Amino acid sequence: MKYLIKIAYNGANYCGWQVQKNGVSVQGEMCRAAKEIFGDGVKVTGCSRTDSGVHAREYFCTLETLSSAPVIPENQLPRALNRYLSEDITVFSAKAVDKSFHARYDVKEKTYEYVFDNGEQRDPFLFGRAWHIPKRLDEAKMNAAAKCFIGEYDFSAFMASGSSVTDTVRHVTGAEVTREGDKVIFRVTANGFLYNMVRIMAGTLRDVSIGKLAVGDIKSIILGGDRKKAGLTAPPDGLYLIKVVY
Amino acid sequence: MKYLIKIAYNGANYCGWQVQKNGVSVQGEMCRAAKEIFGDGVKVTGCSRTDSGVHAREYFCTLETLSSAPVIPENQLPRALNRYLSEDITVFSAKAVDKSFHARYDVKEKTYEYVFDNGEQRDPFLFGRAWHIPKRLDEAKMNAAAKCFIGEYDFSAFMASGSSVTDTVRHVTGAEVTREGDKVIFRVTANGFLYNMVRIMAGTLRDVSIGKLAVGDIKSIILGGDRKKAGLTAPPDGLYLIKVVY
């Protein structure tokens, strides 16, 4: 059986989605919980590799069991898995899918949010959950810069150097920056993302706000394809995967 | 010098505001930070005794130093104190006040929020920050019940048994229940609160929602003055002090 599982997790205490030699991963925790129900041999495949400290309000993975018969009704699977997961990972739903379905390759579109804590002093409830920038951010300017990301481009300038991906063209279909009180939120949707792409975009938007870069620079940074011309990689704490479309 | 300090804290890792023999308290942390700046003999007085695990989005305390001269300009005090505090306590502002000012006795009005996580599965971002109730709550019924708290009454039925307070009359000036997605929020304002009063109110509202109590029962529970007739004491995780008026 293959199940598509919808989960959410607070990544603060994890080394990311992917199983690592050192550190506790979300994938590892899902494997452990699945083994309690299905026994050995369950294969867990995620929709995205999130980094250490990155969060997901919506994330999908598949559980592929050795047996071809259901061990448990799919509507009871979330509660059963949650019993073996700690409070920072939650399973919301499960449904049987075809063997040919792939959690990562079949993704059509993903949306990320990057959260800035823009209070003069840091919000104690956003610790590990946002990037604290005490100086007032200019969300209108950041929004104008974000709009420049929209389109189909080679986003090499917004990819961590050393990444081995060869096809670096992605189609960004939505990008905006809004303010909710002291929170400034960058939201971006694309058919796929390069390694560290959203965090480099967030760092670049910060540079636009503080005047290190101009709104007019964004297009030429994209077209230039030089990682060094974009801003720094924003810390993982502020990054959330919030929507996945198949 | 006496300073009025505005802070916020995530209470998950604290035994409450008040210094205790066992456990780390917010007051103890404030004393420790103040000592780094003012040396020995600083007296820290809070606006309210919050329980273990309870949060504050707005909390006031006074720091009273031995010296009568300012050691540091008051606008620099927040940043200086924050340097010695962990990320779950933040100082927002400081201003010099008269020696006669009292952080607790001079409070005119306080507002608390109690947050229910009403998702079918628990929200991993609300762990330690809400009371998870999987069954759909009836916020309209809860709101009707909350309105019955408004007025000047002897709230003995909503006080932890064993409390030694003699004047149990409080004036509730506002009470409402609203829903924001899967979050249900009970907000209550009064000139003062008895020990565990908001948590007992929250537990009682839950009982109204599940049909264990009727909206019409609330007034007679208040007038009866019997703690056993009200609902259980809701867990501390969902409770936030959000506003203090002097």
Side-chain angles (χ1 to χ4, degrees):
Chain A
M1 293 290 294
K2 200 172 197 173
Y3 296 98
L4 179 64
I5 309 279
K6 183 165 123 178
I7 68 173
Y9 55 85
N10 177 339
N13 296 318
Y14 296 97
C15 65
W17 164 259
Q18 198 94 345
V19 167
Q20 306 275 340
K21 274 186 190 154
N22 305 308
V24 182
S25 65
V26 180
Q27 187 183 29
E29 289 301 287
M30 287 303 297
C31 283
R32 194 182 49 72
K35 196 178 161 179
E36 295 280 352
I37 295 160
F38 299 106
D40 282 323
V42 184
K43 203 182 150 191
V44 178
T45 308
C47 65
S48 173
R49 290 184 187 143
T50 64
D51 278 337
S52 177
V54 170
H55 315 289
R57 291 198 183 272
E58 178 171 294
Y59 188 100
F60 287 91
C61 61
T62 51
L63 301 187
E64 197 172 0
T65 66
L66 289 178
S67 138
S68 59
V71 176
I72 181 174
E74 60 187 36
N75 66 340
Q76 286 175 31
L77 197 46
R79 219 156 60 103
L81 288 165
N82 286 332
R83 203 170 299 140
Y84 298 105
L85 291 166
S86 69
E87 289 84 353
D88 46 12
I89 304 177
T90 296
V91 175
F92 290 111
S93 66
K95 67 168 186 178
V97 288
D98 192 81
K99 239 182 135 55
S100 66
F101 183 90
H102 196 284
R104 186 140 59 96
Y105 304 148
D106 288 350
V107 170
K108 287 210 176 62
E109 195 178 85
K110 284 190 287 187
T111 300
Y112 281 94
E113 262 181 21
Y114 195 91
V115 179
F116 300 86
D117 172 5
N118 197 212
E120 200 184 325
Q121 308 297 339
R122 54 188 155 63
D123 180 338
F125 295 96
L126 290 178
F127 173 58
R129 300 180 176 202
W131 183 14
H132 181 227
I133 295 187
K135 273 212 172 161
R136 180 83 182 182
L137 289 170
D138 184 338
E139 67 272 17
K141 224 174 169 192
M142 291 169 79
N143 186 49
K147 295 296 177 202
C148 304
F149 294 137
I150 297 175
E152 190 170 42
Y153 298 107
D154 178 336
F155 278 101
S156 297
F158 293 85
M159 178 173 75
S161 52
S163 182
S164 60
V165 176
T166 49
D167 178 10
T168 48
V169 174
R170 294 293 182 274
H171 191 177
V172 173
T173 50
E176 58 165 2
V177 174
T178 53
R179 175 180 287 276
E180 293 174 14
D182 279 342
K183 272 203 264 188
V184 172
I185 300 166
F186 165 49
R187 196 175 286 107
V188 58
T189 302
N191 62 346
F193 290 89
L194 302 168
Y195 187 50
N196 279 352
M197 182 164 154
V198 184
R199 287 167 59 189
I200 299 169
M201 285 174 160
T204 304
L205 294 178
R206 198 276 314 245
D207 284 355
V208 169
S209 177
I210 64 175
K212 226 175 125 179
L213 289 173
V215 173
D217 294 336
I218 301 295
K219 271 278 134 75
S220 55
I221 293 172
I222 297 173
L223 299 175
D226 181 359
R227 169 67 190 91
K228 290 190 277 304
K229 292 284 193 291
L232 85 171
T233 305
D237 316 54
L239 187 60
Y240 297 74
L241 177 57
I242 64 159
K243 201 171 164 57
V244 180
V245 177
Y246 284 104
Chain B
M1 292 290 294
K2 200 173 197 172
Y3 296 98
L4 180 63
I5 310 281
K6 183 164 122 179
I7 69 173
Y9 55 86
N10 176 339
N13 296 319
Y14 297 97
C15 65
W17 164 259
Q18 200 94 345
V19 168
Q20 306 274 341
K21 275 187 188 152
N22 306 307
V24 182
S25 65
V26 180
Q27 186 184 29
E29 290 301 288
M30 288 302 299
C31 284
R32 194 183 48 71
K35 196 178 161 178
E36 295 280 352
I37 295 159
F38 298 106
D40 282 324
V42 184
K43 203 181 150 191
V44 178
T45 308
C47 65
S48 174
R49 290 183 188 145
T50 64
D51 277 338
S52 176
V54 170
H55 315 288
R57 291 199 183 270
E58 178 172 293
Y59 188 99
F60 287 92
C61 61
T62 52
L63 301 187
E64 196 171 1
T65 66
L66 288 177
S67 138
S68 59
V71 175
I72 181 173
E74 58 187 36
N75 65 340
Q76 287 175 30
L77 196 46
R79 219 155 61 102
L81 287 165
N82 285 334
R83 202 169 301 141
Y84 298 106
L85 290 167
S86 69
E87 288 85 352
D88 47 11
I89 305 177
T90 297
V91 175
F92 290 110
S93 66
K95 68 167 186 178
V97 288
D98 192 81
K99 240 182 136 54
S100 65
F101 183 90
H102 195 284
R104 186 140 58 96
Y105 304 148
D106 288 349
V107 171
K108 287 210 176 62
E109 196 178 85
K110 284 191 288 189
T111 300
Y112 281 95
E113 262 182 19
Y114 194 91
V115 179
F116 300 86
D117 172 6
N118 197 213
E120 200 184 324
Q121 307 297 338
R122 54 187 155 62
D123 180 338
F125 295 97
L126 289 178
F127 174 58
R129 301 180 176 200
W131 183 14
H132 181 228
I133 296 188
K135 273 211 171 162
R136 181 83 182 181
L137 289 170
D138 183 338
E139 67 272 17
K141 225 174 168 190
M142 290 168 78
N143 186 48
K147 296 296 178 201
C148 304
F149 293 137
I150 297 175
E152 191 170 43
Y153 297 108
D154 178 336
F155 278 101
S156 297
F158 293 85
M159 179 173 74
S161 53
S163 183
S164 60
V165 176
T166 49
D167 179 10
T168 49
V169 174
R170 295 293 182 275
H171 191 178
V172 173
T173 50
E176 57 167 4
V177 174
T178 54
R179 174 180 289 275
E180 293 173 13
D182 279 343
K183 272 203 263 187
V184 172
I185 300 166
F186 165 48
R187 196 175 287 106
V188 58
T189 303
N191 63 347
F193 290 88
L194 302 169
Y195 187 50
N196 278 354
M197 183 164 153
V198 184
R199 288 166 60 188
I200 300 169
M201 285 174 159
T204 303
L205 294 177
R206 198 274 315 243
D207 284 355
V208 169
S209 177
I210 64 174
K212 226 175 126 180
L213 289 173
V215 173
D217 293 336
I218 302 294
K219 272 278 134 76
S220 54
I221 293 172
I222 297 173
L223 299 175
D226 181 359
R227 169 68 189 91
K228 290 189 278 302
K229 292 284 194 290
L232 86 171
T233 305
D237 316 54
L239 186 60
Y240 298 73
L241 177 58
I242 63 158
K243 200 171 167 55
V244 181
V245 177
Y246 284 105

